[in-house]
Amino acid sequence: FRQTIAWLLATAFAYYAVTRFELREILELTAIALVVGTILNVLFIFALPRYGKVLDEFDPTKSGWKGITSNKNSLGQFCSAAAIVLWIARRSLTRWRLIYTVAAIVNVFLLLGADAKTSLVALMGTSVLMIVFRAFRAQRQLFGVVVIGLLMSSIVVLILVLRNRNTLAGGIGRSG
């Protein structure tokens, strides 16, 4: 029941924000909130390590940074989302470009320190997709699309060859 109420309140707030603010203002407000969250995470991890770090003596895999969040996976989710949003803000809002750039890079390092592997994979995948979509939006030339297509197809062929090298070697009469 609490999750339903939280979801309804979040939806109501999102509806209010979308109807009240322009997209650029929403991006700016979100970026400011994420920069503040990043600063608080850094303060909790380095200035207040008692609260900002998780140390499990019995299971070292559960150790890592947690910042202002409840656990390292929540910090990882925050950092991966913050890195992407701040990078977009860096490109769109030029007034505070340096601050957004530094905060995005700090979030990547916080993500690495949190040791949240799922969030790291999500960040890497989203970053690759951003590069691909950016290349497809370049209307003046298709060079970026061709290069990305060739790289991706080369990687797929290389993976197929390496995974099936014994079968391929047996097909030509050699041992793998």
Side-chain angles (χ1 to χ4, degrees):
F1 181 73
R2 282 189 338 209
Q3 290 179 345
T4 304
I5 297 298
W7 183 81
L8 287 172
L9 289 174
T11 304
F13 178 74
Y15 178 75
Y16 165 74
V18 168
T19 57
R20 166 69 174 83
F21 299 106
E22 295 289 324
L23 182 60
R24 187 174 185 85
E25 293 172 317
I26 292 173
L27 180 61
E28 188 171 3
L29 291 171
T30 306
I32 290 169
L34 292 173
V35 167
V36 170
T38 301
I39 292 169
L40 288 174
N41 279 324
V42 170
L43 285 175
F44 268 66
I45 290 169
F46 295 110
L48 301 166
R50 177 177 169 197
Y51 301 109
K53 291 183 179 179
V54 177
L55 297 174
D56 192 343
E57 298 172 3
F58 302 109
D59 189 4
T61 61
K62 294 183 179 175
S63 298
W65 296 347
K66 68 174 189 161
I68 59 174
T69 61
S70 60
N71 57 47
K72 66 181 188 175
N73 291 326
S74 297
L75 177 64
Q77 291 170 353
F78 172 84
C79 289
S80 62
I84 295 297
V85 170
L86 289 170
W87 197 258
I88 292 170
R90 175 203 172 272
R91 295 188 52 83
S92 302
L93 309 170
T94 58
R95 183 175 179 193
W96 303 105
R97 177 174 282 178
L98 180 63
I99 292 173
Y100 297 145
T101 304
V102 170
I105 293 169
V106 166
N107 273 299
V108 172
F109 284 111
L110 288 176
L111 178 60
L112 294 172
D115 197 31
K117 293 173 182 62
T118 304
S119 297
L120 183 62
V121 170
L123 177 65
M124 290 188 304
T126 306
S127 300
V128 168
L129 286 176
M130 285 176 65
I131 293 169
V132 169
F133 289 147
R134 179 103 174 130
F136 279 117
R137 288 192 66 201
Q139 297 173 355
R140 295 187 188 137
Q141 56 185 348
L142 291 177
F143 179 74
V145 176
V146 171
V147 168
I148 289 173
L150 287 173
L151 282 174
M152 297 305 280
S153 60
S154 299
I155 289 171
V156 168
V157 168
L158 183 66
I159 289 171
L160 288 173
V161 167
L162 290 177
R163 292 211 172 200
N164 299 308
R165 64 179 177 264
N166 291 332
T167 305
L168 294 172
I172 60 172
R174 303 204 180 249
S175 62

